[in-house]
Amino acid sequence: MELNKEAFIKVGQALVEQAPLLSNKILAQRFDRHPQMSGLPLDRKQSLAYIQEFIKLLGSTLTLEGDQAEIVLMNWAEQTALYAVDYGQSLDVAMLPLPFIRKEILILIEDLAIIESFSVKDVMCVIKNIDINLDFASHTFSETYVKNHQMIVNEKNQALHELSAPIVPLFDGIGVLPLIGEINHERAQILQIRTLERCVENKIFSLVIDLSGVHTLTPEVLQSIFLLIDSLRLLGVRVIVTGIRPEIALTASSFGINMRDVQTNGNLKQALSALGYGKLIDNKNRPPVLR
């Protein structure tokens, strides 16, 4: 038995025509059930526009044949997901309107079926078609969102890798590694690899590791830093550690970490003096002589 195409046409037209009214109702229900959390980016005007456009697409694709509806909805879902990622909206927040969209569409179909005297079979076929399109669009949206969000995360991790070992060349063969902020296990591992690589790339034979910007270190992370020092020595790099805070020294001694074999200085200037560059630093800071 052939499907009643008239039911698909009339439901599709109703969705397109009533999209502005439905989108307002959907957005109101979404915020009633899930109030906006402070600090989360959300443009209500833009959200309303996307919901309205989505409802119109669902209506217009009801009369398309074959995989044409899937292509249209896939393109829309991909573009919308990319916008959500760029805008900084989380996936769970972006998906919140979906159940309310489904609910309002079902109410519209129910009301229209009574007015137009659609058969039960016609109603079920229309609902099945819309359900499939809704699920397909939401899956494409989620898949695109996760893929592109992961790309951004990977890029940020790569940037973190680059910043985890910010060796600053001072003179030929001499550099300083200023460590700032919290150093966790992951950063410590990155630090070991990138520091060794950069010392080889920049031909560093003397490196000052400055810990003055680090307030606390766990014993495990502190041990990894001393492992880094040993690895640098194997490469022929002379290492001087500066800026060790009392609490870091206490942590090292209380856990039996031997610092006796590590050359330490109070600050960068003292370390450079130990490397034979103290006079250059003093002359640089000395005011010019008036004649």
Side-chain angles (χ1 to χ4, degrees):
M1 183 181 295
E2 292 187 2
L3 296 177
N4 183 0
K5 292 184 179 180
E6 184 180 357
F8 282 79
I9 293 172
K10 288 189 174 181
V11 172
Q13 290 175 344
L15 286 173
V16 173
E17 293 171 0
Q18 298 186 38
L21 175 63
L22 293 176
S23 58
N24 277 288
K25 292 174 65 177
I26 289 164
L27 199 62
Q29 293 176 47
R30 173 253 184 269
F31 282 109
D32 286 342
R33 181 68 66 87
H34 307 287
Q36 182 179 358
M37 300 290 290
S38 60
L40 292 179
L42 183 62
D43 187 335
R44 292 198 182 202
K45 184 177 180 180
Q46 189 65 57
S47 297
L48 187 67
Y50 274 113
I51 294 172
Q52 182 173 320
E53 183 182 2
F54 184 43
I55 293 173
K56 287 182 177 180
L57 281 176
L58 287 172
S60 63
T61 55
L62 270 178
T63 56
L64 297 180
E65 297 181 356
D67 59 354
Q68 291 181 340
E70 291 184 0
I71 295 173
V72 172
L73 289 168
M74 180 178 68
N75 290 335
W76 179 88
E78 287 178 348
Q79 294 301 318
T80 308
L82 292 174
Y83 170 81
V85 173
D86 291 339
Y87 186 62
Q89 190 176 66
S90 63
L91 180 59
D92 59 330
V93 172
M95 298 294 287
L96 284 178
L98 187 60
F100 304 107
I101 292 174
R102 195 185 301 269
K103 172 187 172 184
E104 288 301 319
I105 290 177
L106 290 176
I107 293 174
L108 180 144
I109 294 174
E110 180 183 6
D111 294 340
L112 197 60
I114 295 174
I115 296 172
E116 300 292 341
S117 300
F118 293 151
S119 67
V120 174
K121 181 177 176 62
D122 291 337
V123 172
M124 293 305 297
C125 288
V126 172
I127 292 175
K128 180 180 178 181
N129 185 286
I130 289 179
D131 267 345
I132 291 174
N133 287 341
L134 271 170
D135 292 340
F136 178 80
S138 62
H139 173 76
T140 303
F141 180 93
S142 300
E143 186 177 48
T144 304
Y145 183 100
V146 171
K147 179 181 177 181
N148 285 274
H149 185 266
Q150 187 59 48
M151 289 176 58
I152 292 177
V153 170
N154 292 340
E155 290 175 358
K156 289 182 178 179
N157 285 338
Q158 182 63 34
L160 177 62
H161 290 185
E162 296 297 324
L163 294 173
S164 293
I167 294 180
V168 181
L170 296 179
F171 306 101
D172 288 341
I174 296 180
V176 59
L177 174 61
L179 299 180
I180 301 173
E182 180 183 359
I183 300 180
N184 54 25
H185 178 69
E186 180 182 3
R187 185 183 175 191
Q189 289 185 320
I190 298 172
L191 183 66
Q192 289 183 12
I193 298 172
R194 293 299 296 156
T195 301
L196 294 173
E197 291 176 347
R198 294 195 172 211
C199 282
V200 173
E201 292 170 359
N202 297 318
K203 298 179 180 180
I204 300 294
F205 57 80
S206 295
L207 181 67
V208 179
I209 299 178
D210 182 48
L211 299 178
S212 59
V214 180
H215 295 281
T216 57
L217 286 173
T218 64
E220 293 78 14
V221 172
L222 192 57
Q223 186 67 55
S224 68
I225 291 179
F226 282 98
L227 179 62
L228 169 62
I229 294 173
D230 291 337
S231 300
L232 288 168
R233 286 170 173 169
L234 291 176
L235 293 178
V237 179
R238 178 183 177 183
V239 180
I240 300 178
V241 180
T242 63
I244 297 180
R245 295 176 177 273
E247 52 268 32
I248 294 178
L250 288 173
T251 300
S253 60
S254 61
F255 284 89
I257 299 175
N258 187 8
M259 297 181 62
R260 295 177 182 175
D261 296 331
V262 179
Q263 183 177 353
T264 61
N265 283 111
N267 53 50
L268 179 60
K269 182 178 179 180
Q270 293 175 1
L272 291 175
S273 295
L275 293 171
Y277 287 86
K279 293 182 179 180
L280 290 177
I281 299 298
D282 290 338
N283 291 334
K284 182 178 179 181
N285 294 328
R286 186 176 299 167
V289 178
L290 299 178
R291 298 182 180 276

